Amino acid sequence: MRHGLTGSIVAAAILFLAPTIAVAQTPALPRTPDGRPNLQGIWQVLNTAAWDMQDHAARLGVPAGQGVVEGNEIPYQPAALKRKQENFANRATADPETKGYLPGVPRIMYTPFPFQILQTPTHVAMTFEYAQGVRIIYTNGTPHPRGPIEWWLGDSRGRWDGDTFVVDVVHFTDQTWLDRAGNFHSEELHLVERYTMTGPDHISYEVTIEDPKVFTRPWKMSMVLYRRKEPNVRLLDYVPALLMEEEQAELERRKAN
Amino acid sequence: MTKTCLTIALGVVLAPSMAAAQTPERPPTIAGCPTENLAFHNCALQKAKAFNPPRTPTGRPNLQGYWRSRLTQAFSVEGVPADHPMVKDPLVPWDISPPEIVEPANRKIPYQPWAVPIGREGVNFREYVDPRTTCSTGGVPRLALQDASQILQPPTDDHVLWLHDDHHQFRVIAMGQRPPVGRDVKTWNGLSRGRWDGNTLVIETANFNGYTWIDDSGNFYTDTARTTERLTMIDADTILYEATFEDPTVYTRPWKVSWALVRDTTPGFELMEEACREGDRNLPRIREQGYKLYFAAPWRLR
């Protein structure tokens, strides 16, 4: 009996503690020598935000998707909402992506192509297959340069908030869209991105979007970045403008022969 | 196409790269070495033996910082002699300069006979749009010829990142042995593997698409090319840069260029986004002159 009771207590203790342990135990994160989460590696989204950031049914060539916008509503000002609708109607030709330009931020984060993060104590660099884009994020405490500057991928300054990497991005053009569904912004776009590793192979990516010319209030997107695990994975390139040109060259060659 | 037309077109072709391509003045010495490329190369190899470079926390030579290529010009890796016709070109005169080639001894690209009429101001130069003018990468090593670059060495020692102002290009150099990549995987800047040979960063690159040129003259390699670059500090602010080209399709033997990378110490200096395609107005004007798009046509379809 005594023996049995001890057994029961032990069993109860295990039952009681087990869920607590499971909850409290964050998976060990890879860390750099200076103790920061090691974000390095090749990452890619697995969602449909490139086509449409909001909830949408399938369209020809567009997978159905659950949106990445918090609450699913984008708080457009009335005139901006009208423009978004026009953009959507004309998207086959009006989307700047069709010209092969740098796609802007955050759009470049969820193009369905891989990108690689490299990290030193003073820099976090993101190199993208898509359009050979590159973001150099300074973590050396320097402020944004004085504007106005219109860069396609903006100016990024980062800092660590505990284990979360926080990036402030300004100095954009008004020439890029947010997705293929006509969502857009102006040159007054201001982003705050938060990168939090939730395990060795996942980053929770959250971005707050602010643009006083287009939206009535700041709003948020969130998604997961997945690590590419293939042992031989390398960052390759996809340069749309040059691929278009290569097709053109083939056409001209065929015509000449 | 008339001769006048050709000259005007050449001016247009070269103008965009010229804006950035002003050949910097060649100082009498760099890091105490003479500045003719071969003399520099020989002197710098000696200097490198005696110099103990600054180290990263993990003990690797610390190459990090901003760098600018010196002892380079945009026109021809074979150099521009004083009697070269382009020196007197009314629109885009080339600067007289020594070859960047340090091997072989005649300092010419050792082309196989079929390739001679294509490179070296041949078919490429006369008939094709310089691919760099279409806002592509300059390619290896041309992307490092003109503008500033930045080297980052993550403390995990598994990669070196070489960022270039030139059309926002970058090279991710995977350190150490990696599984091989199939040769049908082709890229603009190639895929690079790096290793340390003493104090030298050695970068071996293959998987090129062969769509880039080596210089303004249309000198070229194909998709079977391999490059081996060696970066060795010879003083705190100078790197000896060497690049060896091998390509069994085009050359009869390996050949090598060499120049200096000199640290940019401007306070507050940072690389800037050099969007090119997004503001380009030149290509249609060049194309109107009848120049064809390159994409390796002169060798790919031969």
Side-chain angles (χ1 to χ4, degrees), chain A residues 40 102 152-153 246 252-253, chain B residues 156 211 273 278 287 301:
Chain A
Q40 296 184 111
L102 286 167
W152 291 76
L153 299 181
E246 188 172 13
E252 289 174 14
R253 220 168 278 151
Chain B
T156 40
Y211 290 177
E273 178 182 277
E278 291 75 5
R287 299 275 283 135
L301 304 177

Side-chain angles (χ1 to χ4, degrees), chain A residues 1 14-15 24 42 52 60 67 71 107 113 127 130 157 165 173 195 199 207 213 242 248:
Chain A
M1 180 72 199
I14 287 169
L15 279 177
I42 298 182
D52 193 332
L60 186 62
R107 193 175 183 180
F113 289 89
T127 59
Y130 189 84
R157 306 283 152 169
F165 183 51
T173 79
Y195 298 81
V207 54
K213 276 170 87 169
L242 295 170
Q248 177 66 23

Side-chain angles (χ1 to χ4, degrees), chain A residues 29 39 43 196-204 224-227:
Chain A
L29 299 180
L39 303 173
W43 303 91
T196 312
M197 289 190 96
T198 54
D201 299 325
H202 299 89
I203 296 174
S204 149
V224 176
L225 305 174
Y226 296 85
R227 184 189 296 278

Side-chain angles (χ1 to χ4, degrees), chain A residues 33-234:
Chain A
D34 59 353
R36 302 296 186 195
N38 183 352
L39 303 173
Q40 296 184 111
I42 298 182
W43 303 91
Q44 191 169 344
V45 296
L46 281 172
N47 64 33
T48 59
W51 288 271
D52 193 332
M53 294 162 3
Q54 292 168 289
D55 291 342
H56 59 276
R59 297 187 282 271
L60 186 62
V62 180
Q66 293 170 272
V68 297
V69 177
E70 198 179 87
N72 198 43
E73 290 311 310
I74 300 175
Y76 280 108
Q77 296 173 16
L81 180 62
K82 201 164 156 277
R83 192 181 142 198
K84 190 268 167 183
Q85 286 156 352
E86 287 164 7
N87 286 351
F88 182 82
N90 303 323
R91 64 191 182 282
T93 51
D95 183 354
E97 186 189 12
T98 59
K99 299 184 182 70
Y101 293 169
L102 286 167
V105 185
R107 193 175 183 180
I108 200 167
M109 306 305 297
Y110 46 78
T111 60
F113 289 89
F115 67 97
Q116 186 157 9
I117 299 182
L118 297 118
Q119 189 177 341
T120 76
T122 51
H123 295 74
V124 172
M126 297 181 179
T127 59
F128 297 84
E129 275 196 12
Y130 189 84
Q132 291 174 316
V134 58
R135 296 181 62 192
I136 306 172
I137 303 167
Y138 300 90
T139 55
N140 55 3
T142 50
H144 291 295
R146 198 154 43 89
I149 304 171
E150 296 199 0
W151 277 325
W152 291 76
L153 299 181
D155 181 79
S156 299
R157 306 283 152 169
R159 64 184 172 82
W160 289 91
D161 175 9
D163 278 350
T164 297
F165 183 51
V166 184
V167 187
D168 195 277
V169 201
V170 294
H171 298 332
F172 286 105
T173 79
D174 63 354
Q175 301 294 303
T176 56
W177 285 9
L178 296 169
D179 62 12
R180 292 176 186 158
N183 287 303
F184 75 105
H185 61 84
S186 81
E187 73 285 358
E188 291 189 22
L189 177 66
H190 169 220
L191 305 176
V192 179
E193 302 172 283
R194 295 178 66 87
Y195 298 81
T196 312
M197 289 190 96
T198 54
D201 299 325
H202 299 89
I203 296 174
S204 149
Y205 174 68
E206 194 183 272
V207 54
T208 303
I209 292 154
E210 196 179 14
D211 186 336
K213 276 170 87 169
V214 177
F215 308 115
T216 58
R217 58 172 171 82
W219 54 282
K220 231 184 236 185
M221 277 190 250
S222 60
M223 62 194 77
V224 176
L225 305 174
Y226 296 85
R227 184 189 296 278
R228 290 288 301 265
K229 295 279 284 183
E230 299 86 341
N232 63 344
V233 66
R234 295 289 308 257

Side-chain angles (χ1 to χ4, degrees), chain A residues 32-33 38 40 99-102 116 118-121 123 125 127-129 131-134 136 138 142 150-155 157 231-232 234-237 239 241-242 245-246 248-250 252-253, chain B residues 64 66 134 136-137 150 152-156 158-159 161 163 168-170 172 174 178-181 185-189 191-193 211 270-273 275 277-278 283 287 293-295 297 300-301:
Chain A
T32 57
N38 183 352
Q40 296 184 111
K99 299 184 182 70
Y101 293 169
L102 286 167
Q116 186 157 9
L118 297 118
Q119 189 177 341
T120 76
H123 295 74
T127 59
F128 297 84
E129 275 196 12
Q132 291 174 316
V134 58
I136 306 172
Y138 300 90
T142 50
E150 296 199 0
W151 277 325
W152 291 76
L153 299 181
D155 181 79
R157 306 283 152 169
N232 63 344
R234 295 289 308 257
L235 195 79
L236 309 177
D237 61 40
V239 192
L242 295 170
E245 219 157 70
E246 188 172 13
Q248 177 66 23
E250 292 289 346
E252 289 174 14
R253 220 168 278 151
Chain B
Q64 295 184 104
Y66 296 104
T134 69
S136 79
T137 176
Q150 178 176 20
L152 291 174
Q153 289 167 251
T156 40
D158 48 356
H159 290 87
L161 180 60
L163 298 160
H168 55 82
Q169 292 299 313
F170 58 83
V172 178
R178 299 276 166 148
V181 178
V185 178
K186 297 174 189 180
T187 59
W188 284 88
N189 289 329
L191 299 180
S192 298
R193 290 195 291 180
Y211 290 177
E270 289 176 354
L271 297 188
M272 284 193 209
E273 178 182 277
R277 161 81 41 188
E278 291 75 5
L283 187 57
R287 299 275 283 135
L293 294 168
Y294 183 64
F295 294 100
R300 203 154 52 96
L301 304 177

